[in-house]
Amino acid sequence: MPNYRRILAAIDLSDEADAVLERAAGMAALHDADLHLLHVVEPLSLAYGGDIPMDFSEVQQQLQQQAESALGKFAQRLNIPKNQCHLLTGRPDAQIHELCESLDADLIIVGSHGRKGLALLLGSTANGVLHGAECDVLAVRVGRED
């Protein structure tokens, strides 16, 4: 089993992020690895395809501030230093790959809903991360009802 040195946990800041963080913290402790947290805020222009002729800059700024606050709370709970917390803007899979490369991370941990059918064909962040990563990827199943 490889000894991971630097782990990147990409979270969506929902309640489901707890499962991803729990697994990431466990893996980091097991391997005595540095744990980095990442959240990517998607630009509203991507979500709406530029079809709505409105200025979303104020709303986008509010989203950034809310994400920064939430990411800080997750990091504080796990005692992760600020310099190991990353808040980026863009397409999540692309930003995860870029940060992974710049950190020289050897494991990415993401949440996966295990979608099937049309959602699987259209892809997901976890799927995009898996297929573009140059390191190991651990997809933590989230959103299951036991």
Side-chain angles (χ1 to χ4, degrees):
M1 176 183 231
N3 189 28
Y4 298 112
R5 298 170 290 108
R6 197 164 295 111
I7 297 171
L8 176 60
I11 59 174
D12 66 3
L13 305 180
S14 71
D15 291 339
E16 294 173 343
D18 287 328
V20 176
L21 289 174
E22 185 177 311
R23 184 62 55 91
M27 291 293 287
L30 178 68
H31 294 276
D32 194 27
D34 291 332
L35 178 58
H36 288 256
L37 296 186
L38 167 64
H39 175 68
V40 180
V41 177
E42 289 188 73
L44 292 174
S45 61
L46 280 180
Y48 293 104
D51 292 340
I52 301 174
M54 293 178 64
D55 180 12
F56 287 113
S57 57
E58 190 172 318
V59 175
Q60 190 73 48
Q61 183 63 30
Q62 289 174 348
L63 289 173
Q64 286 286 126
Q65 290 169 347
Q66 290 170 351
E68 187 174 353
S69 174
L71 186 63
K73 289 176 185 172
F74 281 114
Q76 189 174 26
R77 263 198 334 228
L78 294 173
N79 294 319
I80 297 174
K82 266 190 158 175
N83 68 336
Q84 291 177 211
C85 295
H86 310 273
L87 180 62
L88 302 175
T89 303
R91 282 191 31 236
D93 54 344
Q95 292 298 326
I96 292 167
H97 292 145
E98 284 182 33
L99 182 61
C100 181
E101 187 176 319
S102 72
L103 292 174
D104 194 26
D106 41 21
L107 176 64
I108 301 170
I109 301 179
V110 295
S112 174
H113 289 92
R115 292 183 176 95
K116 297 180 177 139
L118 184 60
L120 180 62
L121 290 174
L122 293 175
S124 67
T125 297
N127 191 40
V129 169
L130 175 64
H131 291 290
E134 295 186 13
C135 66
D136 292 350
V137 177
L138 173 62
V140 177
R141 180 81 66 204
V142 296
R144 271 193 303 207
E145 292 185 23
D146 295 325

